[in-house]
Amino acid sequence: MSEQKPLSPWNYKPWWCQPWSILLTGITLISGSWLLFKAIWLTILISIPILIWMGFFVLIWPQLIIRSGILESYQNQLMTDDR
């Protein structure tokens, strides 16, 4: 009998949609805006939507997916298909 992996939405996402890639992209964009424009007000303006995007996809989205039960039903379907 095989062990079940813990339910994690990150197991079902491609490499470019993993937490490390989301954080790296956000940090690069915010840093790039500072290096390019050297204006704190513009960097803050650019960073607000990026930080919201990062917060949603790294903190909120995984919890929503886990609570929805989608992963459990998907995992159960995989287990019945293996039989």
Side-chain angles (χ1 to χ4, degrees):
M1 181 179 262
S2 64
E3 286 186 33
Q4 286 185 340
K5 291 190 287 187
L7 290 178
S8 172
W10 304 116
N11 294 337
Y12 304 98
K13 300 299 281 178
W15 67 267
W16 48 266
C17 198
Q18 295 293 319
W20 63 268
S21 64
I22 294 169
L23 294 174
L24 184 63
T25 301
I27 291 168
T28 301
L29 290 171
I30 293 169
S31 301
S33 72
W34 171 251
L35 292 172
L36 187 63
F37 301 116
K38 299 274 196 244
I40 191 71
W41 66 271
L42 188 55
T43 301
I44 290 171
L45 193 64
I46 290 169
S47 68
I48 290 171
I50 293 171
L51 290 171
I52 291 170
W53 167 76
M54 287 170 43
F56 178 78
F57 280 106
V58 172
L59 301 172
I60 297 170
W61 176 83
Q63 294 302 315
L64 291 173
I65 294 297
I66 291 168
R67 289 182 192 155
S68 73
I70 292 172
L71 294 178
E72 292 167 350
S73 64
Y74 181 71
Q75 193 172 48
N76 290 338
Q77 180 184 5
L78 287 177
M79 291 185 74
T80 56
D81 288 347
D82 286 342
R83 290 183 189 175

